[in-house]
Amino acid sequence: PTYTPTNAAAATSTITPGDKRCVADCNEDEEVTVDEIVTATNIALGIVDVAGCPSSDKNGDRSVTVDEILTAVANALSGCPL
C-alpha cells in the first residue's frame, strides 16, 4: 500500500488559542495577574475547563502545559508582548 495525502479540512476548536497577544490574559486587559496564572494552572491540573481562560491555551490544543504556564508567568513579570 502507498500513502496518499488528502486535503481534508481538519476539525477546529471553538475556543480561540491565546497566541494572539498575551498568554493567560483571561480578561483581555493586556496584563496577566496572579489569579489568571492560578486559573491557567487549574486548567493544566484538570480542575477548570480551558473555556475558563482560553488565552492560556497558546497552541490551541484545548489543554494548558507547563511551557504555557511559564509564558504566563513571564507575561505577568515583564508585561504582555506588543
Side-chain angles (χ1 to χ4, degrees):
T2 58
Y3 171 74
T4 306
T6 62
N7 290 329
T12 58
S13 170
T14 57
I15 294 177
T16 303
D19 60 356
K20 56 185 176 183
R21 285 197 187 179
C22 192
V23 174
D25 178 17
C26 302
N27 63 0
E28 299 180 355
D29 65 353
E30 299 300 320
E31 62 183 27
V32 177
T33 58
V34 172
D35 63 312
E36 291 170 318
I37 294 170
V38 170
T39 299
T41 302
N42 285 334
I43 293 168
L45 294 172
I47 297 168
V48 174
D49 187 83
V50 72
C53 185
S55 66
S56 296
D57 179 18
K58 182 177 180 178
N59 64 4
D61 66 355
R62 299 203 41 85
S63 66
V64 174
T65 56
V66 171
D67 62 310
E68 291 165 324
I69 293 170
L70 293 175
T71 300
V73 171
N75 289 341
L77 294 173
S78 302
C80 295
L82 299 175

